[in-house]
Amino acid sequence: MGKKKIDDSKKKLKALIESIPDRNEYMEDFIDYISDGFRLSADLKTVMGFGNKKTKGKVNVRIPSGVEVIEDHAFLRVEIDSLFLPKELKYIGKYTLVNENGWPKNISSIEVEDGNECFFADGTGFYSIENGKKKLERLFASSISTYTVPEDVYSFAEGSITFCSSLRDILLSDGVEEFDEYALLGASEIKDIYIPKTVKKLKLKSISRRGWYVDPRFLNPITYHIDDENEYFFKDEDSIYEVLEDGTYKLLMNLYDGKGKALILEGTSVIGRCAFEGHKNLKDAEFPASLRVIEDMVFQDTALKTLNVPAHVQSIGERAFSGCNELKNVTLSPDLETIASNAFEGCWELKKIKTAGKKKAFTFSDGVIAKIPSENAGGPSGALNYKYPWMSGKIFVHTGLSEA
């Protein structure tokens, strides 16, 4: 008898037993046994759970033919060694490939039955397919030192390159449109990543790269090489910038650890989350006239001594300057629209915050700052009618980019 006939017979027997009212525990055990540990929906198209008394340690999982969906928690806390997916499968639940803590499961191989339109696997990796494009879900080539991404791959899942301990360089093809740095969880030996002109989304995660604590997932800072023809991102010295829709820049990351002040390009309107975090040699920062937003934890745990935030900055995010133990003097503009209450949390040497003008604009006590509402909370007349009013008559174009 062929495997398909055996599977069909099991399904019929299972359905027959499940139709019996008031089943006892022996019947339930038998259902688990003939189902190979799978708990399936009534129409046998959804895996709702997995595991029985036989399930111990790492297991080889073969999803039954006809199954279209694996629910998110179906394989929660199940250690998988190998996985086979049928041609009918359309959705893989969240905890099939990752553990409860979000760390990827160390699955040695994934096979996909021919004819599946949503997933694909070869000797190198496992991919999901959307609109004819592939997203790398897991790279299995653990022994290679350089990975050249296939041209039909457009994106990467978090943790997709986790277990490639020998990998040093990643060469993204011209088909890649998105790159998520969390794809590299645990791949701490990677030195260089080459970003082509086609990349439109570059997700550099907010994780410690220096200072007293360095996230073990990024023990070695990565050097990014960005194609000069990329119109969305560019590199200036040790900083990576994103070009925003209005033509201004967002500073995404700075990896300079030398002494001196923070150098930020004119035309930068946003300093991104954690951009200078942990820079222990950074004692001063000079903000360009174009700057409007300082995001969360931008200067957290740096060595800033004096801070003068000019009037054109509109917003300061969560813990933007927290843990700056040497910070003693801070001057903020009363025109600052929003500031997180914990922006200066843990700045033990900071006793008061100054503002220009005669009226007190902020209260600061025990590391908590608050803005005192003013009568003219809306700011200058008409200032809030435009998303970027300061852009009037200005065009910012980086030298490596096209004006088109």
Side-chain angles (χ1 to χ4, degrees):
M1 183 181 292
K3 178 164 181 39
K4 188 176 186 309
K5 288 186 177 181
I6 293 175
D7 287 342
D8 289 342
S9 298
K10 284 183 176 181
K11 289 178 182 179
K12 291 177 181 178
L13 183 56
K14 177 177 179 289
L16 178 62
I17 296 175
E18 286 181 334
S19 67
I20 300 173
D22 302 324
R23 298 188 302 272
N24 60 35
E25 61 177 309
Y26 300 106
M27 290 181 177
E28 296 292 348
D29 286 345
F30 187 68
I31 290 174
D32 275 349
Y33 179 80
I34 63 175
S35 301
D36 294 324
F38 292 100
R39 288 186 287 280
L40 303 175
S41 60
D43 62 2
L44 306 179
K45 292 183 178 181
T46 301
V47 176
M48 300 185 296
F50 179 83
N52 55 29
K53 294 179 180 179
K54 301 184 299 178
T55 307
K56 295 181 180 179
K58 299 192 74 171
V59 294
N60 299 317
V61 176
R62 186 181 183 92
I63 304 298
S65 59
V67 168
E68 297 180 0
V69 174
I70 300 175
E71 288 190 349
D72 284 345
H73 292 79
F75 287 92
L76 183 67
R77 303 189 186 97
V78 176
E79 296 182 52
I80 300 174
D81 185 39
S82 65
L83 179 63
F84 178 86
L85 308 177
K87 62 183 179 182
E88 297 88 357
L89 191 70
K90 299 176 181 178
Y91 176 78
I92 295 179
K94 179 178 179 180
Y95 296 107
T96 305
L97 301 182
V98 301
N99 290 302
E100 192 173 6
N101 61 3
W103 192 262
K105 294 180 180 180
N106 192 0
I107 302 174
S108 61
S109 67
I110 299 177
E111 294 182 57
V112 180
E113 186 177 9
D114 291 342
N116 190 302
E117 297 180 356
C118 299
F119 301 99
F120 173 79
D122 56 21
T124 302
F126 168 63
Y127 310 84
S128 57
I129 303 172
E130 185 175 352
N131 297 324
K133 297 180 179 180
K134 293 178 183 176
K135 180 178 183 179
L136 180 67
E137 300 287 345
R138 188 61 59 86
L139 183 66
F140 292 116
S142 58
S143 61
I144 61 174
S145 60
T146 299
Y147 174 48
T148 302
V149 179
E151 292 187 0
D152 57 352
V153 172
Y154 82 99
S155 185
F156 300 78
E158 290 189 5
S160 56
I161 309 178
T162 295
F163 299 103
C164 301
S165 58
S166 300
L167 195 59
R168 301 292 183 271
D169 306 298
I170 298 178
L171 307 178
L172 304 185
S173 69
D174 281 343
V176 175
E177 300 174 10
E178 304 173 354
F179 184 75
D180 187 338
E181 198 172 65
Y182 257 11
L184 312 176
L185 286 175
S188 59
E189 296 302 319
I190 294 176
K191 306 292 186 184
D192 296 276
I193 296 179
Y194 296 82
I195 306 294
K197 62 184 180 181
T198 53
V199 171
K200 300 177 182 179
K201 292 183 180 180
L202 183 60
K203 301 177 184 178
L204 304 178
K205 294 297 183 179
S206 330
I207 48 182
S208 297
R209 301 166 185 274
R210 55 191 161 203
W212 68 271
Y213 169 75
V214 178
D215 194 300
R217 294 168 289 190
F218 286 86
L219 292 175
N220 296 307
I222 298 166
T223 299
Y224 282 88
H225 307 267
I226 300 178
D227 192 307
D228 289 339
E229 295 184 19
N230 190 301
E231 297 185 5
Y232 304 94
F233 304 95
F234 66 90
K235 189 174 179 180
D236 182 78
E237 299 295 338
D238 293 285
S239 296
I240 294 178
Y241 291 85
E242 178 182 3
V243 182
L244 302 179
E245 290 183 1
D246 63 359
T248 62
Y249 314 141
K250 178 177 181 178
L251 174 57
L252 297 178
M253 179 175 70
N254 176 278
L255 283 177
Y256 177 68
D257 281 325
K259 296 181 179 180
K261 66 173 62 177
L263 299 177
I264 303 168
L265 282 180
E266 180 62 46
T268 301
S269 62
V270 181
I271 305 178
R273 180 182 172 95
C274 299
F276 292 94
E277 181 196 15
H279 192 328
K280 293 302 183 183
N281 291 319
L282 182 62
K283 299 182 182 297
D284 190 16
E286 184 174 323
F287 303 113
S290 53
L291 185 65
R292 295 299 178 269
V293 178
I294 299 173
E295 291 189 348
D296 300 347
M297 299 181 284
V298 168
F299 292 97
Q300 180 174 262
D301 296 329
T302 61
L304 287 175
K305 294 179 178 294
T306 299
L307 177 66
N308 186 359
V309 179
H312 49 73
V313 173
Q314 298 174 344
S315 174
I316 296 177
E318 299 278 338
R319 300 193 297 279
F321 300 95
S322 69
C324 295
N325 298 324
E326 299 181 45
L327 187 60
K328 295 182 179 181
N329 299 302
V330 172
T331 302
L332 300 178
S333 167
D335 295 328
L336 181 66
E337 294 178 11
T338 60
I339 183 168
S341 61
N342 59 0
F344 295 98
E345 183 180 72
C347 298
W348 310 121
E349 296 296 321
L350 182 61
K351 304 303 180 185
K352 63 180 180 179
I353 291 176
K354 301 176 184 178
T355 53
K358 296 180 180 179
K359 289 187 177 181
K360 188 177 181 181
F362 301 92
T363 61
F364 181 69
S365 178
D366 296 326
V368 178
I369 187 170
K371 182 173 174 62
I372 299 174
S374 62
E375 295 178 2
N376 184 20
S381 176
L384 300 182
N385 292 334
Y386 304 95
K387 185 176 181 181
Y388 298 109
W390 68 89
M391 285 295 298
S392 177
K394 296 182 180 180
I395 298 178
F396 295 110
V397 180
H398 179 63
T399 54
L401 303 176
S402 166
E403 294 189 37

